Amino acid sequence: MSATVERIWRDLTKASFAVLGYVTPAGEPRSSGVVYIVDRRRMYVAVAEDSWKARHVGASGRVAVTVPVRRGGVMALLFPIPPATISFHGTATVHPAEALPDGPLARLVPPERRAGCRVIEIVPVGHFVTYGEGVPLARMRTPSLARGRLPVD
């Protein structure tokens, strides 16, 4: 069992929480936990229209994303098992919520809340960098065996 691009996309689609990293116009790093959905190999995050995320991500158009992937099943109830992670950087575009089609957006933002939000569309670029993705739990103890790097496409 090893990580493949298809497995990574499947795990990104199944998860819903990520840490979004970005830089302010003054060059200061920031990160925030966000809820997201994936549709057609793009990640969508809803944020308040007056939020720092909407302003700062919109200004730079670049983000870093890390998604923890829960592992362990029943074992996780007995032992502290860290999640696997999928990280990547991407281009980001901030859209008014009403500018996007209803399909995936309906799962992210209810119609009555769309007027007050923005949606960040993230397109991964370069490589996925993984840790523990597609490897047995025992291999996570050895960083050289647990790390992976795969092209986004």
Side-chain angles (χ1 to χ4, degrees), residues 13-148:
T13 301
K14 286 174 35 179
S16 62
F17 175 81
V19 176
L20 179 69
Y22 52 95
V23 177
T24 70
E28 298 172 339
R30 296 282 186 266
S31 63
S32 299
V34 296
V35 174
Y36 72 88
I37 62 167
V38 170
D39 186 64
R40 296 185 195 115
R41 295 194 171 198
R42 293 170 187 261
M43 182 178 278
Y44 295 92
V45 176
V47 298
E49 66 183 335
D50 61 348
S51 69
W52 282 19
K53 286 180 280 234
R55 289 193 307 265
H56 297 327
V57 170
S60 73
R62 295 185 46 88
V63 295
V65 177
T66 297
V67 176
V69 179
R70 189 169 172 262
R71 317 185 33 141
V74 175
M75 293 287 289
L77 299 173
L78 303 172
F79 303 103
I81 296 173
T85 57
I86 301 168
S87 299
F88 61 90
H89 64 270
T91 58
T93 306
V94 179
H95 302 280
E98 58 272 4
L100 294 175
D102 274 345
L105 187 58
R107 296 180 304 171
L108 188 61
V109 183
E112 65 274 9
R113 291 190 38 223
R114 291 185 193 169
C117 77
R118 297 288 182 259
V119 175
I120 302 172
E121 177 184 16
I122 301 168
V123 179
V125 296
H127 290 85
F128 291 117
V129 177
T130 64
Y131 193 88
E133 179 72 3
V135 300
L137 288 174
R139 288 180 66 188
M140 287 181 73
R141 293 181 181 177
T142 308
S144 62
L145 299 176
R147 287 189 298 248

